[in-house]
Amino acid sequence: MSDLQIRALAVLQEALAFEGEELERFLDRRCAGDPDLRHEIEALLDHDSTLGDDFLETPILARFSDTDPLRRPPPPTPEWLGSYRVVGELGRGGMGSVYIGEQDEPVKRRVALKVARLADDEKVRARFRSECRALARLNHPNIAALYEIGTADDDYPFVALELVDGEAITTYCDRHGLDVRERLELYLGVCAGVQHAHEKGILHRDIKPSNVMVTEVDGRPTAKVIDFGIAYGLDEPLGTVTQDRQLVGSLAYISPEAAQHGKGELDTRSDVFSLGLLLYELLVGVLPYRLEGLSLFSRFTNDDLPRASVRLASFDDEKRLRLAEQRSVTPAMHLDTLRGDLDAILDQALMADRDQRYDSPSSLGRDLQSHLDARPISARPPSAAYVASRFIRRHVPLVTLALLLVVSMVVGTVLSVREARRAAEAAAQAEQARIEAEEVSRFLIELFEIGDPERNRDEPADVATLLDLGAERLRTELIEQPVTRARLLHTLGELATKLARYDQAERLIAEALELREDALDATHPDLFESINQLGVIYRLTGRLD
């Protein structure tokens, strides 16, 4: 490989993160003053665009070698492959081609036909055999089904697979405006499919959007994991090629340990990391890191991967609005949805240290399902406040009803206490009024009995005498009942005023006012009654000042 190709390869992985005007600006910056480098990169990008989904993978370094099989003239499209009539081409990969085939017998169906067109190469044969072995183990609704393994008339091996008539999961979700919940529900199928592969001893090693296709089954979107071309046997070798220590897979989606090829065997947690990157892209709209400036073999530590909500918050308003619209929410709602559970789940799935990651796709899926069900997730500390918040979210109608009942009971109790207090106060006032009335009645009856001509024939008392007697008696009576005593003093004061005995009237009213000021509220009408009567006396006596 020439020096120019090596430099172009290093820049290519960064360029794949851009498109359109962003790609042009990136190339202007990275290839400034080096037209040969830019020409080579643009040629590689054009070359990459013809590969479709890269259905048959090659090691990344071999892809651009001088012996790249793609440089050879493409083989002609066959008319038949076994019992399948070829009706179109889906794509062309590093090791062969993928066609659309139709079968009439024994069943009528359309399939994807994958042909190893370089079967004279032992590595190609080995890889093809390994993929067939992997596919033969798998039977899951979220994995493209294997129908048949055969040999074409020209002795090239081929495999007939379920034709997934759909599009990459990220493209489907964005085009249909799926919200975060709908994306998670779709993604759970991906976790289930990869978990099934792991249980069958298969490590996928190339999980990325273009290898997770979405098709509609009975009107509902279903994710299908495809392309086990570089699968790895966990329990037994699938073939020599998939067991070597070449760097294989898509650079943007491989795990740190997969990038450090030759430093230990891979396990299920490597696929978990790739699943985490796929989930991050589904939720945020981009990968957690920028490929720009990243050397080919550098790896990411967890500190280098920003939390999903932090990455989203760093975008400008226009980009945040576009990403939110693709998820049928507002930018604020999009950001709020990521904070908390989803941030924590992605953090654990993308741990650089695989010992701290979820140990399997099913563990990752369980936490996502718990989040959807508003249950506590394992990726967050189970604090009392957090557990309580999940319970409340899980039982919103019940909690709301309980709160309404509690509020109703509290309000009812407060109103009952208030009414009881008012009733007690009214009863006390009524009792006080009754006692006062009785005392006033008794006092007046006794007073006027003195002036009764039938009882005092010798010297009947006139009104003035009764007034004096009443005032005298009040000096010693009703001392413990100031309100009643004040009422009688006020009555006698009004009587003295009518008799023009103003000095006596003033003394009686002043004493009544003093008692009322001590015993009654400052706004009580009886208080103003005494003040008013005192004013009448001042007016009648000419003391207008």
Side-chain angles (χ1 to χ4, degrees):
M1 185 181 298
S2 67
D3 177 67
L4 178 61
Q5 287 176 319
I6 293 175
R7 289 190 294 118
L9 179 60
V11 178
L12 177 64
Q13 61 160 334
E14 304 174 31
L16 292 174
F18 303 96
E19 58 183 31
E21 294 181 359
E22 290 186 356
L23 176 60
E24 290 299 319
R25 288 195 293 270
F26 169 78
L27 293 176
D28 289 342
R29 184 172 64 256
R30 291 302 306 273
C31 302
D34 194 343
D36 292 339
L37 176 62
R38 178 159 186 160
H39 177 76
E40 183 71 14
I41 294 171
E42 288 177 340
L44 291 173
L45 289 169
D46 290 340
H47 177 69
D48 180 74
S49 67
T50 66
L51 301 183
D53 290 332
D54 223 0
F55 211 58
L56 289 173
E57 292 286 351
T58 61
I60 189 66
L61 296 180
R63 168 69 55 87
F64 303 105
S65 68
D66 293 332
T67 59
D68 183 357
L70 287 173
R71 297 175 184 269
R72 306 175 190 177
T77 301
E79 294 184 5
W80 290 84
L81 288 171
S83 62
Y84 300 95
R85 182 174 58 257
V86 177
V87 296
E89 184 175 297
L90 280 175
R92 199 177 296 274
M95 298 298 176
S97 304
V98 184
Y99 303 103
I100 299 175
E102 290 183 347
Q103 185 183 42
D104 295 324
E105 298 291 342
V107 292
K108 188 174 181 65
R109 60 187 172 189
R110 288 166 65 88
V111 300
L113 298 167
K114 193 171 183 179
V115 186
R117 281 297 184 183
L118 299 175
D120 54 329
D121 187 318
E122 181 53 37
K123 283 191 175 182
V124 176
R125 287 181 179 275
R127 174 158 295 174
F128 192 81
R129 286 195 301 268
S130 71
E131 181 175 10
C132 289
R133 292 191 184 101
L135 291 170
R137 296 184 185 186
L138 306 178
N139 181 21
H140 192 274
N142 293 109
I143 296 178
L146 169 67
Y147 294 143
E148 182 181 345
I149 300 172
T151 304
D153 293 339
D154 51 8
D155 292 331
Y156 286 123
F158 74 89
V159 60
L161 301 167
E162 176 185 359
L163 178 62
V164 182
D165 186 14
E167 52 193 336
I169 186 170
T170 48
T171 304
Y172 181 91
C173 290
D174 290 348
R175 191 168 67 84
H176 288 81
L178 267 60
D179 61 27
V180 169
R181 169 172 281 275
E182 291 168 331
R183 289 169 187 248
L184 292 177
E185 290 172 345
L186 186 61
Y187 177 84
L188 285 173
V190 183
C191 291
V194 178
Q195 177 66 31
H196 172 77
H198 289 177
E199 291 171 355
K200 296 298 183 179
I202 306 297
L203 193 67
H204 189 283
R205 288 209 299 175
D206 198 19
I207 297 169
K208 58 184 179 181
S210 60
N211 281 344
V212 180
M213 305 297 288
V214 177
T215 184
E216 294 191 354
V217 178
D218 297 329
R220 295 179 59 84
T222 301
K224 297 274 188 177
V225 181
I226 65 172
D227 197 352
F228 284 78
I230 57 171
Y232 182 99
L234 293 170
D235 52 355
E236 60 181 71
L238 295 172
T240 57
V241 176
T242 57
Q243 301 291 63
D244 63 23
R245 297 189 183 279
Q246 287 180 302
L247 178 60
V248 293
S250 302
L251 289 176
Y253 294 91
I254 58 177
S255 65
E257 60 271 20
Q260 297 173 345
H261 58 293
K263 296 187 178 180
E265 297 297 326
L266 302 181
D267 60 26
T268 58
R269 294 169 293 183
S270 183
D271 275 353
V272 167
F273 189 90
S274 300
L275 284 169
L277 291 173
L278 176 61
L279 178 61
Y280 197 109
E281 190 170 0
L282 277 172
L283 298 181
V284 183
V286 297
L287 289 169
Y289 44 74
R290 294 178 176 86
L291 292 176
E292 181 180 354
L294 198 64
S295 63
L296 181 61
F297 298 111
S298 65
R299 279 321 302 161
F300 322 109
T301 65
N302 197 53
D303 292 337
D304 293 329
L305 300 182
R307 303 198 89 177
S309 60
V310 174
R311 182 93 159 98
L312 180 62
S314 69
F315 299 150
D316 57 47
D317 291 344
E318 182 179 354
K319 187 170 185 178
R320 285 187 58 196
L321 178 60
R322 175 172 57 82
L323 293 171
E325 288 176 343
Q326 289 172 342
R327 287 152 183 81
S328 301
V329 293
T330 64
M333 291 172 61
H334 186 196
L335 188 61
D336 186 61
T337 302
L338 298 181
R339 290 187 174 124
D341 280 1
L342 294 179
D343 267 341
I345 289 171
L346 285 168
D347 283 350
Q348 185 159 334
L350 296 174
M351 285 288 182
D353 181 357
R354 60 181 173 180
D355 289 336
Q356 299 182 49
R357 262 180 242 154
Y358 291 107
D359 59 1
S360 66
S362 61
S363 297
L364 169 59
R366 277 195 298 272
D367 256 5
L368 288 173
Q369 188 62 61
S370 293
H371 168 71
L372 291 175
D373 295 340
R375 297 182 182 278
I377 63 171
S378 65
R380 293 183 69 177
S383 66
Y386 172 64
V387 173
S389 70
R390 298 301 95 178
F391 178 86
I392 291 172
R393 286 193 180 186
R394 194 164 64 252
H395 301 290
V396 171
L398 179 62
V399 173
T400 302
L401 178 60
L403 287 175
L404 288 175
L405 289 174
V406 170
V407 170
S408 297
M409 291 174 63
V410 170
V411 171
T413 301
V414 169
L415 292 177
S416 297
V417 170
R418 183 179 297 174
E419 289 301 317
R421 184 178 298 160
R422 288 177 177 174
E425 290 175 352
Q429 291 174 359
E431 179 63 14
Q432 178 63 32
R434 185 188 65 77
I435 294 173
E436 182 178 324
E438 289 180 352
E439 291 296 332
V440 170
S441 177
R442 179 188 62 79
F443 181 85
L444 292 176
I445 289 172
E446 291 179 355
L447 180 62
F448 283 97
E449 279 181 348
I450 298 173
D452 185 355
E454 295 294 329
R455 298 184 61 177
N456 297 284
R457 296 179 181 275
D458 298 333
E459 192 176 344
D462 57 15
V463 175
T465 301
L466 293 176
L467 176 62
D468 292 336
L469 289 174
E472 184 65 26
R473 288 187 61 180
L474 284 177
R475 292 181 183 279
T476 57
E477 294 185 23
L478 301 174
I479 300 299
E480 301 299 327
Q481 299 180 50
V483 175
T484 303
R485 186 163 177 264
R487 180 173 297 280
L488 288 169
L489 286 169
H490 183 90
T491 301
L492 294 178
E494 286 184 330
L495 181 59
T497 303
K498 293 182 185 301
L499 295 176
R501 303 175 67 173
Y502 299 126
D503 290 342
Q504 184 182 25
E506 183 177 348
R507 287 194 303 273
L508 292 169
I509 296 298
E511 187 176 356
L513 177 60
E514 184 177 358
L515 288 172
R516 285 175 167 175
E517 285 177 335
D518 291 340
L520 301 176
D521 184 78
T523 61
H524 198 284
D526 287 357
L527 192 63
F528 293 106
E529 182 184 43
S530 295
I531 293 173
N532 182 67
Q533 186 61 31
L534 197 58
V536 170
I537 295 170
Y538 290 158
R539 177 174 59 80
L540 293 174
T541 57
R543 298 156 62 188
L544 300 181
D545 57 332

